[in-house]
Amino acid sequence: MKGSGESKASILFEFNPIGVVHSCFKEKFGIPRQPGLASEARATLELKTPFNRCEAVAGLEGFSHIWVIFVFHEAMREQWRPTVRPPRLGGNQRVGVFASRSPFRPNPVGLSVVKLEKIECDGGRCLLYLRGADLLDGTPVLDIKPYLPYADALPQADGGYAEDTPLQVMSVTFSELADAQCKECEQNGPPGLRQLIKQVLSQDPRPAYYVNKKYVNTKHANEERTEKQEFGMRLYDFDLRWKVEAGQVTVLELRPASEG
Ligand code: SAM
């Protein structure tokens, strides 16, 4: 006989995503590690049928920020691990998975507070325009909730090992080529592109083990210790390439992404 508490606790839940995120971030590498770190990081959240109804978002327009509860769809693993190495601790110190915001967790559910710029809802299309996102393109969304400053803002709270806002540590300059390419892209391309590039790269998206060069006890322990200096990521429909030298980022190139 199942005790009622036990049977309730062992129910497996199935959630139907209410929507999907269309984001400027087309790959995981380079995405800020939390929302709000790159204010120019734009995304739209498209509500899917049958959730794409104006009544379902009525009243939300009065809120400047929303919580997005989503699935880390590109971090799904068969096995979960009880500890992770947060980038905040240099990537070589472990904490419990539940003491982290790692995408790799028993239930790969994420939580981000983002700015809600506007809502467009008509003719069966319901789009929420977001800023400051840390979300990958294609992220399935389980729920949205208004951010309530009186309940959700806790300025006195302790931040454990992640007490301070991460610094924008690197200065970012553009090569002549990248500068010209960026100007061209800005004319008809996405707004705030140059600023987005600066915001993303100034936070040094390289893996923590790379930055700290403390390979001890990590799977990178036997890697060659020569520092790779050039990196690339896809932003919107562009391939961005940059190099890092002496704590300084130089944007090398920004060109239309190659297909496939
Ligand atoms: N703010 C959320 C949270 O605390 O749950 C996400 C924090 S997590 C540390 C942020 C990272 O998750 C990003 O830098 C990106 O690499 C990764 N990410 C974002 N969307 C993802 C997705 N749909 N699937 C897998 N990884 C994703």
Side-chain angles (χ1 to χ4, degrees), residues 106-159:
N107 295 309
V109 173
L111 174 71
S112 292
V113 65
V114 292
K115 189 163 177 16
L116 176 63
E117 289 226 304
K118 64 172 174 171
I119 302 175
E120 272 177 13
C121 208
D122 62 78
R125 252 169 86 82
C126 197
L127 291 177
L128 278 60
Y129 288 78
L130 314 177
R131 291 272 293 265
D134 59 347
L135 306 169
L136 180 64
D137 193 49
T139 294
V141 174
L142 299 178
D143 203 359
I144 50 185
K145 299 189 185 198
Y147 175 86
L148 299 180
Y150 81 86
D152 295 340
L154 304 168
Q156 310 304 328
D158 289 332

Side-chain angles (χ1 to χ4, degrees), residues 28 31-32 34 72-74 101 110-112 134 136 139:
K28 284 190 283 180
I31 303 181
Q34 283 301 334
F72 287 112
H73 71 304
E74 286 209 7
R101 303 291 285 258
L111 174 71
S112 292
D134 59 347
L136 180 64
T139 294

Side-chain angles (χ1 to χ4, degrees), residues 7-250:
S7 63
K8 276 183 195 153
S10 61
I11 289 171
L12 284 176
F13 298 95
E14 201 172 274
F15 292 127
N16 185 11
I18 59 155
V20 65
V21 170
H22 306 290
S23 164
C24 59
F25 298 116
K26 308 296 180 189
E27 60 180 283
K28 284 190 283 180
F29 177 59
I31 303 181
R33 290 176 178 136
Q34 283 301 334
L37 295 174
S39 57
E40 289 295 335
R42 292 163 200 255
T44 52
L45 196 170
E46 181 176 6
L47 295 181
K48 295 196 313 183
T49 313
F51 311 105
N52 53 343
R53 297 170 55 155
C54 297
E55 310 98 280
V57 288
L60 194 61
E61 68 285 350
F63 292 87
S64 65
H65 291 76
I66 56 170
W67 290 105
V68 179
I69 298 147
F70 61 94
V71 178
F72 287 112
H73 71 304
E74 286 209 7
M76 316 274 268
R77 283 184 176 163
E78 296 265 305
Q79 300 282 328
W80 69 281
R81 293 196 179 156
T83 61
V84 296
R85 303 175 203 263
R88 262 313 178 95
L89 293 175
N92 59 2
Q93 214 177 309
R94 288 191 174 275
V95 300
V97 66
F98 301 128
S100 85
R101 303 291 285 258
S102 168
F104 299 99
R105 31 201 333 117
N107 295 309
V109 173
L111 174 71
S112 292
V113 65
V114 292
K115 189 163 177 16
L116 176 63
E117 289 226 304
K118 64 172 174 171
I119 302 175
E120 272 177 13
C121 208
D122 62 78
R125 252 169 86 82
C126 197
L127 291 177
L128 278 60
Y129 288 78
L130 314 177
R131 291 272 293 265
D134 59 347
L135 306 169
L136 180 64
D137 193 49
T139 294
V141 174
L142 299 178
D143 203 359
I144 50 185
K145 299 189 185 198
Y147 175 86
L148 299 180
Y150 81 86
D152 295 340
L154 304 168
Q156 310 304 328
D158 289 332
Y161 63 83
E163 185 69 47
D164 305 316
T165 310
L167 296 172
Q168 302 213 334
V169 282
M170 314 278 260
S171 71
V172 180
T173 54
F174 285 67
S175 69
E176 236 174 79
L177 173 68
D179 184 55
Q181 289 171 323
C182 197
K183 280 190 182 125
E184 205 181 311
C185 296
E186 280 171 326
Q187 294 197 338
N188 302 311
L193 182 61
R194 183 180 297 258
Q195 192 56 18
L196 174 64
I197 293 171
K198 285 187 176 177
Q199 289 176 344
V200 167
L201 298 188
S202 66
Q203 285 162 35
D204 198 356
R206 293 176 299 167
Y209 68 83
Y210 223 109
V211 177
N212 293 303
K213 290 189 224 135
K214 288 178 192 155
Y215 295 81
V216 190
N217 294 332
T218 77
K219 65 179 177 185
H220 309 284
N222 296 321
E223 276 183 13
E224 205 183 326
R225 294 182 185 218
T226 49
E227 198 185 344
K228 182 181 154 200
Q229 286 175 337
E230 286 194 20
F231 301 86
M233 70 181 284
R234 176 130 174 243
L235 264 188
Y236 292 104
D237 290 333
F238 303 103
D239 282 329
L240 175 68
R241 265 192 336 110
W242 72 96
K243 70 174 179 182
V244 182
E245 263 169 349
Q248 160 100 30
V249 175
T250 308

